[in-house]
């Protein structure tokens, strides 16, 4: 295992003061899987106060001292160091009533969720694997540590964590764990909307998401009841998701594609996702059937804006590809062609917003146009330019504005 200097130093400093310390959790799992870890968590027998003494010479952040976590900044790198813990009795299917610190690594590992997440590693002692995590990494299995039903009763969020990890690594969920997921899925209703949204956001863009969502749709609907739909509709949504790559907003569009835009937005609102995501998903679904060709691209840009035009093209591609009616290569070619054309319009600052229009409200006021007619006329001019029926030049547009107003009044 190739660990960064900072982590090695932290472990050595703790060991020198007589405390046990190990790398633990995600970084050990990822290393077993041959994936570079994105952070390095350390667990130790030292209590938070003892840790503060050991790291007195370093900058520290009291991330969650109550839960035993101290962040130490070493060589610019933040390291999370957590005291070995025993979670007490669980309340509300999510939170332990109390957290007890322990001097036993075994206790700490046995409270962790899955065998693949419950391994520790020490630079000299090597791997500590009490629950067969290494074997499960090899076999590609997500399995609870201990009795799966009990573990999901303690913390129902683990159900979604299991699905997220399985989707991320394309692992299968071991039979007992799978049975327990279906048996305990109703407990997901006790989990906060924010936590559910965070897990879903991790799950949806994962490589194995489609298969896991198909296999565990009942658990997903238990977590997000507003999303419950007919199995055939869900299967169609997953077929769309299969053609989407990573972007969370697009993943949500795929999953919620059987719904009207309002309903999709409502689902995301109930999950308390950021307003921006709700609005993006709404717009993309609202315009999903808009016919876009090279000649209507500028008009499409006017409607959906430059931030969402390329996602919209990707969504349209996924929606049509999922229907399996058109040739996939031809659809892909269309996607690439239109994406390049859209990017070109954006880069050359083509006119698709009022601010780019060569005529402003003041110009229209000078012509004697008043009140709401100003805004209306500006929009008409913009649309005419976007349709390619007029150049974006001041004088011809002013002449056009006059004729529009005359026509309106006549
Ligand atoms: P990621 O790469 O997604 O960060 P991770 O394994 O580091 O994966 P975290 O959510 O960061 O996952 O949690 C760190 C570790 O803490 C896990 O590996 C696991 O051992 C433990 N853990 C986290 N959440 C729970 C939970 N709800 N129940 C039990 N153990 C948990
Ligand atoms: Mg982590």
């Amino acid at each position: 295992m190739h660990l960064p200097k900072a982590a090695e130093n932290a472990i050595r400093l703790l060991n020198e003061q007589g405390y046990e310390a190990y790398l633990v959790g995600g970084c050990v799992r990822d290393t077993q899987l041959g994936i570079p870890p994105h952070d390095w968590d350390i667990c130790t027998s030292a209590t938070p106060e003892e840790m503060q003494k050991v790291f007195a010479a370093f900058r520290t952040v009291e991330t969650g001292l109550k839960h035993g976590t101290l962040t130490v900044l070493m060589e610019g790198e933040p390291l999370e160091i957590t005291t070995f813990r025993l979670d007490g009795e669980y309340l509300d299917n999510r939170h332990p009533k109390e957290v007890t610190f322990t001097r036993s690594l075994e206790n700490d590992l046995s409270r962790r969720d899955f065998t693949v997440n419950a391994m520790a590693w020490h630079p000299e002692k090597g791997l500590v694997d009490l629950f067969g995590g290494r074997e499960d990494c090899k076999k590609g299995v997500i399995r609870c540590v201990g009795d799966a039903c009990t573990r999901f009763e303690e913390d129902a969020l683990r159900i979604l964590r299991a699905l997220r990890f399985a989707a991320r690594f394309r692992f299968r969920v071991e039979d007992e764990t799978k049975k327990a997921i279906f048996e305990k899925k109703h407990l997901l209703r006790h989990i906060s909307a924010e936590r559910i949204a965070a897990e879903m956001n991790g799950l949806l863009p994962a490589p194995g998401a489609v298969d896991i969502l198909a296999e565990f749709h009942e658990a997903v609907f238990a977590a997000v009841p507003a999303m419950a739909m007919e199995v055939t509709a869900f299967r169609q949504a997953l077929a769309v998701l299969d053609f989407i790559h990573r972007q969370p907003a697009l993943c949500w569009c795929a999953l919620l594609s059987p719904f009207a835009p309002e309903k999709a937005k409502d689902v995301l609102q109930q999950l308390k996702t950021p307003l921006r995501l709700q609005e993006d998903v709404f717009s993309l679904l609202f315009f999903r059937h808009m016919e876009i060709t090279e000649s209507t691209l500028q008009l499409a840009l006017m409607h959906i804006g430059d931030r969402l035009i390329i996602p919209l093209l990707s969504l349209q591609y996924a929606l049509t590809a999922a229907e399996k009616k058109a040739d996939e290569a031809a659809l892909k070619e269309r996607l690439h062609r239109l994406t390049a054309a859209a990017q070109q319009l954006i880069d050359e600052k083509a006119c698709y917003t009022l601010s780019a229009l060569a005529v402003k409200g003041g110009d229209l006021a000078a012509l004697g146009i008043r009140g709401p007619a100003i805004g209306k006329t500006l929009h008409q001019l913009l649309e005419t330019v976007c349709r390619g029926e007029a150049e974006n030049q001041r004088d011809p547009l002013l002449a056009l504005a006059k004729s529009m107003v005359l026509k309106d009044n006549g």
Side-chain angles (χ1 to χ4, degrees):
M1 188 157 174
H2 198 76
L3 73 169
K5 272 274 163 301
E8 200 175 309
N9 282 342
I11 292 175
R12 190 173 37 77
L13 285 171
L14 285 159
N15 288 166
E16 279 170 4
Q17 301 299 313
Y19 304 111
E20 284 185 57
Y22 299 84
L23 286 168
V24 73
C27 63
V28 183
R29 174 200 65 220
D30 289 351
T31 304
Q32 290 293 325
L33 295 174
I35 304 169
H38 58 83
D39 47 25
W40 302 81
D41 294 334
I42 293 172
C43 63
T44 178
S45 61
T47 63
E49 295 77 50
E50 290 166 342
M51 270 194 261
Q52 279 174 317
K53 282 192 198 124
V54 174
F55 297 105
F58 295 87
R59 259 189 67 201
T60 58
V61 188
E62 300 185 4
T63 327
L65 272 199
K66 257 200 342 230
H67 295 101
T69 304
L70 183 73
T71 301
V72 181
L73 292 155
M74 283 193 128
E75 297 157 38
E77 270 215 58
L79 281 178
E80 280 209 349
I81 311 183
T82 306
T83 307
F84 293 159
R85 264 170 46 178
L86 257 176
D87 294 339
E89 205 184 310
Y90 277 76
L91 301 171
D92 63 26
N93 309 109
R94 172 69 188 126
H95 301 100
K97 192 160 79 184
E98 61 194 351
V99 168
T100 338
F101 299 138
T102 156
R103 299 285 184 188
S104 147
L105 172 66
E106 181 173 352
N107 282 340
D108 185 75
L109 293 179
S110 48
R111 66 146 179 112
R112 291 174 185 270
D113 45 10
F114 309 113
T115 58
V116 295
N117 285 349
M119 292 180 281
W121 191 86
H122 186 276
E124 277 134 38
K125 295 181 224 173
L127 189 70
V128 182
D129 176 18
L130 307 177
F131 306 102
R134 181 155 69 166
E135 191 61 24
D136 283 343
C137 277
K138 269 202 207 123
K139 289 196 294 204
V141 169
I142 295 296
R143 180 200 314 269
C144 282
V145 172
D147 176 61
C149 280
T150 311
R151 302 313 306 281
F152 293 144
E153 271 166 22
E154 289 172 354
D155 178 0
L157 186 70
R158 288 172 187 152
I159 293 176
L160 290 183
R161 286 175 60 84
L163 304 187
R164 172 165 65 84
F165 286 118
R168 176 154 137 207
F169 302 121
R170 285 189 167 284
F171 279 16
R172 75 183 169 80
V173 179
E174 173 272 335
D175 288 349
E176 285 301 311
T177 303
K178 177 172 171 173
K179 233 168 71 193
I181 287 178
F182 287 119
E183 204 174 312
K184 298 297 173 188
K185 61 181 193 301
H186 61 281
L187 298 176
L188 280 162
R189 68 166 183 265
H190 300 299
I191 303 298
S192 75
E194 291 87 345
R195 299 307 309 239
I196 288 182
E199 290 301 328
M200 290 297 291
N201 283 331
L203 199 172
L204 293 181
V210 169
D211 293 338
I212 287 294
L213 288 167
E215 188 177 356
F216 291 95
H217 65 269
E218 290 168 34
V220 176
F221 294 162
V224 193
M227 215 181 73
M229 60 180 92
E230 296 286 336
V231 176
T232 46
F234 194 58
R235 207 172 291 139
Q236 188 57 27
L238 292 181
V240 179
L241 182 62
D242 211 12
F243 288 97
I244 294 285
H245 298 287
R246 285 185 293 277
Q247 310 93 310
L250 281 179
C251 291
W252 280 110
C253 283
L255 208 60
L256 300 172
S257 60
F259 295 143
E262 293 78 9
K263 160 86 179 170
K265 187 175 177 194
D266 206 48
V267 172
L268 293 171
Q269 198 171 4
Q270 287 186 35
L271 283 177
K272 300 190 179 151
T273 59
L275 196 59
R276 162 110 142 198
L277 177 72
Q278 296 174 29
E279 285 172 350
D280 286 358
V281 168
F282 180 90
S283 300
L284 289 165
L285 289 178
F286 186 85
F287 288 115
R288 71 186 120 170
H289 300 305
M290 180 162 54
E291 190 167 323
I292 307 179
T293 61
E294 256 102 348
S295 56
T296 60
L297 199 48
Q298 200 161 337
L299 197 62
L301 263 163
M302 180 191 88
H303 283 300
I304 200 157
D306 45 21
R307 201 168 52 78
L308 292 182
I309 187 72
I310 291 171
L312 178 62
L313 292 169
S314 303
L315 177 62
Q316 291 191 334
Y317 161 76
L319 286 165
T320 22
E323 284 176 6
K324 305 254 182 262
K325 285 182 195 146
D327 172 47
E328 206 181 307
L331 290 174
K332 222 174 224 157
E333 191 275 328
R334 172 186 180 271
L335 172 66
H336 291 149
R337 190 164 35 81
L338 289 175
T339 300
Q343 193 58 54
Q344 193 180 344
L345 285 174
I346 295 168
D347 291 344
E348 68 195 17
K349 300 202 164 47
C351 174
Y352 49 85
T353 60
L354 285 182
S355 61
L357 196 67
V359 164
K360 306 290 168 210
D363 299 319
L364 298 187
L367 291 179
I369 302 174
R370 293 282 174 267
I374 292 187
K376 191 178 155 209
T377 310
L378 284 174
H379 277 284
Q380 283 174 331
L381 291 176
L382 178 61
E383 187 164 337
T384 310
V385 171
C386 287
R387 286 185 189 284
E389 292 162 4
E391 294 287 326
N392 185 27
Q393 285 167 0
R394 195 164 174 274
D395 289 339
L397 285 181
L398 284 179
L400 189 60
K402 268 191 220 162
S403 70
M404 280 172 172
V405 175
L406 280 177
K407 205 163 75 198
D408 271 10
N409 292 341

